[in-house]
Amino acid sequence: MSTSKAASRRIRMPDELGVFIALLVLIGIIGALQPKFLNINTFLNVMANNSILGMLALGTVFLLAMREIDLSFGMILNLSGVLAGLSMIAGVPVELGILIALVAGLTMGTLNGYLSVQFRLPLIIITLGTASIYQGTSLIVNNKGSVLPPPEVKAHWFFQFMGGLTDFPVPPIVIVFLVLAVVLHFVLHRSRFGYRILAIGSNPDSARLAGINVDGSRIQVAALMGVIAGFGGAMFLGFRGAIDPTTGYQLLLPVIAAAIIGGTPLSGGSGTIIGAVLGTLVVGVIATGVVFLGIDATWSTFVTGVVIVVAVGIDQLVRVQRRNRAAVASAGGQ
Amino acid sequence: MRKRVGIAAVAAAFAVTAAACGGTADTATEAPAEETPAEAPAEEAPAEAPADDIEIGFVTHVVGNPFIQQIIDAALQAGEDLGVTVTVAGPTGGEADAQLAAVENLVAAGVDGIATSVPSSSMDNALNAIIDSGIPVATFNLLSPAVNAPYVGEKSVESGRILGARIVELLGGEQQAKGTVVVGICFPGFPVLENRAKGVQEALAKAPGIKVEGPFDVKVDAAENYSKWEGLYQANPDVAALVGLCAPDVESLGQLKAKNPKAKFIAGGYDLTPGNVAAIANDTAQVSLGQTPFMQGYLPVYMLVQAIRDGVKLEPGFVDAGTEIATSNPLQVIQPYGLPQLTFDELAVIAGDPKKSREFYQPLVDGIIKNWQAEVQPIANESS
């Protein structure tokens, strides 16, 4: 074995390197075509506008790692935010209102998981129905209108801080997103809970034979997604100062795209929180880039789709090549 | 190596696609500033086109909708007339947060003014922050009263009253009208649509023989919209009238009537899109209200150019875009602001041809648009 080969085996490149470089290249191309894009404020703006999407992508990594997809998280976000807002309007302290959002999200997520286990159905099927239930409940409780806390409630530090109305140099929603990412990274890769999820996603039957409570873990992951969506609802309320009947409806595809672009496969057994953060930025940079480049509204959706398909396709090709090479190397070593 | 090739391919795809699509941008940049005065005398282009480099961001709550496209076409016409670049952006799915992101991206890209619809209150803070930073903002079509900017749109409750009154009239008048009237809404919770529903219900309530069902969620996607209406008709085969509040409804109801020629229901709704106009023309639908999309696209751009070039301060206020009323019997289109009545053939041409639309609305450009500051009403009048 040559020295260089030994060195390359020791220095293993992180899986997220590809998407990170792709992000830099995207930024470079847009910046070269439109130099105004290369501005720290633009970058912070991209991050702030996509932080809620990113939070949901972090939760989706856990689901995908266990071969599950939740279609209801946008509605959970909406209903949690609506309940928090309405309770604040009714005079409940803001801190308690945030807690209500978290509990509401936890309840809805747990219900998703429980129904999925009880009916022996994938979460995607159950959440086809519960998404409409949560959406309908939101429309009923908010009386089909926006939930807009009055000025005295919005004078609270939570709204002032999260809404960027203080002199804090970085949009606080970005800090919240990154802190959540760090926490969930350690939960996925450094906790027994995370190991269980990855084991179940890798091979559910083996995991069951190894004594892992598969059903319990499925409920826990669905509940985690619910809590994150509930948290996202509260953060959205603070960030935008109001929540609408339509908030969260269109998040499904960009959120799943962000997780997958980041490198979490649909096949389960692995997942990357860092990748989801980078995937969120890729989605955000593409959306911002089409505006900066003056691509008209009709074409922007097409461009976004093309770039995402190419990014995911190429990433998958690279992974297959790496697997094949590893298999060949392994066979050669025997 | 393969990874590097992959990354390069992603980058190349973006660059090539962006380059391919960028040239077809919904902008008025193709209109050279020096051509405008030659094509249009000064009185036709009230704010003349000096050799400056103004860019207006024009953001709609949805793209790909025929009615919204009429608004966009008018905005681009204004850009061409005034010698400014109008860059159009907006989400395909109608979510306010995605729309707001488009607004903020345009501001970050350096536009000089923003025209946007405001489908929800969650846009208020950010739009007011943009206004506070010195960038002029004008709003259209969908209103949030908390945004400190002028609004160009319909009188939403009043237009609902007009539609409801027409339906009552078609059913025999307040004393004679009877039966069930089913109301459909494509997006429950949208304030303007809820206001329309309120107005329709107010007008229908004046006829004691009418029983109102709904509003039911009939969805905005054309195919889904039709199937929802079909389901409502099957559930209420003796319905006296079906009334929609959104652009796809009249066309769907016309198709429903064509499929059920023995049905006796009256069909009414909103917007003068080509499909809706065709339904009225062949009497499969009886009434459709337009909200003068030309005004809603042209005037906000005009306001912003005046604010940027002449320092006109844009204050909160409401400019009524006017209500157009198309009826099948008699077959006519009543226009607001003294504009000449149109035949249906003319209306169909205007609805599908921005240049013809621009020619027809010249009196508006010379009148209410040029003198818009005298037309500003309190915001509260929008829903009075």
Side-chain angles (χ1 to χ4, degrees):
Chain A
M1 185 183 289
S2 72
T3 314
S4 62
K5 276 188 178 175
S8 72
R9 284 194 178 179
R10 278 198 300 273
I11 307 168
R12 186 173 177 275
M13 290 295 132
D15 289 340
E16 298 85 2
L17 186 65
V19 69
F20 179 65
I21 295 173
L23 176 64
L24 291 182
V25 172
L26 274 177
I27 292 171
I29 289 174
I30 299 166
L33 296 171
Q34 180 55 270
K36 277 187 285 189
F37 183 77
L38 297 176
N39 180 309
I40 186 66
N41 287 332
T42 303
F43 186 67
L44 290 175
N45 196 37
V46 169
M47 288 199 74
N49 279 331
N50 292 281
S51 288
I52 302 283
L53 184 158
M55 289 177 202
L56 296 171
L58 302 179
T60 299
V61 168
F62 283 79
L63 288 164
L64 291 177
M66 219 171 63
R67 305 187 189 181
E68 295 281 10
I69 291 179
D70 183 340
L71 302 180
S72 69
F73 54 72
M75 311 307 159
I76 295 177
L77 180 147
N78 184 299
L79 182 53
S80 303
V82 163
L83 292 174
L86 289 176
S87 57
M88 291 173 195
I89 291 169
V92 169
V94 171
E95 292 82 356
L96 194 55
I98 297 168
L99 189 62
I100 286 172
L102 292 173
V103 172
L106 174 68
T107 306
M108 287 183 268
T110 306
L111 181 64
N112 283 342
Y114 178 76
L115 292 174
S116 171
V117 167
Q118 285 299 309
F119 294 141
R120 304 274 167 217
L121 287 170
L123 199 58
I124 191 172
I125 305 291
I126 291 297
T127 52
L128 267 174
T130 56
S132 285
I133 293 172
Y134 303 149
Q135 179 184 4
T137 309
S138 176
L139 285 171
I140 293 165
V141 299
N142 70 11
N143 199 22
K144 301 179 288 184
S146 296
V147 174
L148 185 63
E152 57 271 23
V153 173
K154 284 163 76 169
H156 189 276
W157 68 265
F158 172 69
F159 286 95
Q160 296 293 307
F161 185 65
M162 293 306 299
L165 302 175
T166 60
D167 292 331
F168 200 70
V170 175
I173 190 85
V174 174
I175 307 284
V176 172
F177 169 47
L178 294 178
V179 168
L180 184 66
V182 171
V183 170
L184 292 179
H185 174 79
F186 282 101
V187 170
L188 184 62
H189 295 293
R190 297 281 187 274
S191 75
R192 287 185 180 180
F193 174 66
Y195 294 143
R196 282 205 307 270
I197 289 164
L198 295 173
I200 293 168
S202 186
N203 190 327
D205 294 331
S206 298
R208 192 173 282 114
L209 289 172
I212 293 174
N213 181 353
V214 174
D215 288 347
S217 297
R218 288 178 68 199
I219 295 175
Q220 286 171 358
V221 170
L224 175 68
M225 184 74 232
V227 172
I228 292 171
F231 181 69
M235 291 302 111
F236 185 94
L237 189 62
F239 181 46
R240 295 299 190 201
I243 195 155
D244 311 305
T246 57
T247 299
Y249 285 17
Q250 305 295 331
L251 286 173
L252 181 64
L253 291 181
V255 163
I256 293 175
I260 292 173
I261 289 170
T264 298
L266 286 166
S267 51
S270 67
T272 159
I273 294 293
I274 297 170
V277 172
L278 295 171
T280 300
L281 290 176
V282 168
V283 169
V285 164
I286 293 171
T288 306
V290 295
V291 172
F292 267 78
L293 296 178
I295 297 170
D296 76 82
T298 315
W299 279 91
S300 64
T301 308
F302 173 78
V303 175
T304 304
V306 168
V307 176
I308 288 175
V309 167
V310 172
V312 174
I314 295 296
D315 185 53
Q316 184 61 15
L317 279 176
V318 171
R319 282 169 192 277
V320 168
Q321 290 293 334
R322 286 170 73 183
R323 267 204 301 273
N324 290 345
R325 250 182 286 156
V328 169
S330 171
Q334 285 173 354
Chain B
M1 179 63 189
R2 281 181 187 278
K3 186 170 251 181
R4 276 190 221 122
V5 171
I7 292 160
V10 174
F14 189 86
V16 169
T17 318
C21 305
T24 60
D26 268 350
T27 65
T29 47
E30 291 86 351
E34 62 272 18
E35 279 182 18
T36 306
E39 286 178 0
E43 61 272 22
E44 291 181 10
E48 289 178 31
D52 52 15
D53 190 20
I54 291 173
E55 183 175 0
I56 304 293
F58 195 87
V59 187
T60 59
H61 49 282
V62 67
V63 292
N65 170 300
F67 168 70
I68 297 297
Q69 189 56 46
Q70 290 176 354
I71 294 179
I72 291 171
D73 289 341
L76 294 172
Q77 283 293 319
E80 207 171 305
D81 288 352
L82 304 172
V84 302
T85 302
V86 175
T87 302
V88 179
T92 51
E95 190 176 1
D97 209 45
Q99 186 183 354
L100 182 56
V103 169
E104 291 182 328
N105 287 335
L106 282 165
V107 170
V111 296
D112 302 287
I114 288 285
T116 181
S117 57
V118 190
S120 78
S121 302
S122 66
M123 296 174 71
D124 296 352
N125 286 353
L127 288 176
N128 284 333
I130 290 168
I131 294 165
D132 292 343
S133 75
I135 295 173
V137 173
T139 66
F140 61 89
N141 192 246
L142 296 175
L143 165 71
S144 179
V147 176
N148 300 320
Y151 170 72
V152 184
E154 65 169 352
K155 293 187 80 167
S156 50
V157 178
E158 181 58 24
S159 78
R161 290 189 194 111
I162 292 170
L163 179 59
R166 288 275 169 174
I167 297 295
V168 169
E169 199 179 303
L170 286 163
L171 292 174
E174 288 181 10
Q175 299 308 315
Q176 306 295 322
K178 60 180 180 183
T180 300
V181 176
V182 172
V183 180
I185 184 169
C186 70
F187 228 125
F190 254 50
V192 169
L193 299 180
E194 296 292 346
N195 282 347
R196 287 179 180 176
K198 185 180 164 194
V200 167
Q201 286 167 319
E202 269 181 36
L204 294 176
K206 290 183 177 171
I210 286 179
K211 180 188 169 201
V212 180
E213 298 270 3
F216 296 100
D217 185 355
V218 291
K219 305 295 179 191
V220 73
D221 171 73
E224 213 175 353
N225 182 266
Y226 175 79
S227 68
K228 291 284 181 186
W229 279 116
E230 190 170 44
L232 285 169
Y233 173 63
Q234 285 166 351
N236 303 276
D238 298 324
V239 67
L242 297 170
V243 180
L245 303 170
C246 308
D249 295 322
V250 171
E251 185 174 358
S252 293
L253 293 173
Q255 289 170 359
L256 187 61
K257 189 74 166 281
K259 193 177 167 187
N260 300 277
K262 290 182 181 171
K264 291 180 178 167
F265 64 79
I266 298 293
Y270 276 90
D271 296 325
L272 303 183
T273 59
N276 289 0
V277 169
I280 299 288
N282 63 27
D283 199 28
T284 50
Q286 285 65 47
V287 56
S288 191
L289 302 194
Q291 4 168 5
T292 328
F294 182 85
M295 274 277 283
Q296 297 192 36
Y298 199 101
L299 183 51
V301 173
Y302 189 96
M303 288 172 166
L304 291 169
V305 173
Q306 276 201 330
I308 295 160
R309 283 196 182 136
D310 307 330
V312 171
K313 191 162 169 53
L314 299 185
E315 304 276 7
F318 165 57
V319 179
D320 186 2
T323 300
E324 304 157 305
I325 306 170
T327 58
S328 62
N329 188 20
L331 194 59
Q332 63 179 9
V333 185
I334 302 166
Q335 291 285 338
Y337 296 116
L339 287 166
Q341 282 196 13
L342 288 167
T343 66
F344 270 60
D345 288 341
E346 288 168 335
L347 183 63
V349 169
I350 283 174
D353 184 342
K355 295 284 179 198
K356 297 281 183 196
S357 175
R358 173 66 184 84
E359 284 171 21
F360 175 75
Y361 287 111
Q362 184 62 47
L364 280 190
V365 174
D366 292 338
I368 187 170
I369 289 175
K370 189 175 180 182
N371 303 305
W372 67 270
Q373 290 176 77
E375 300 288 338
V376 178
Q377 310 172 36
I379 284 283
N381 285 10
E382 187 273 343
S383 55
S384 61

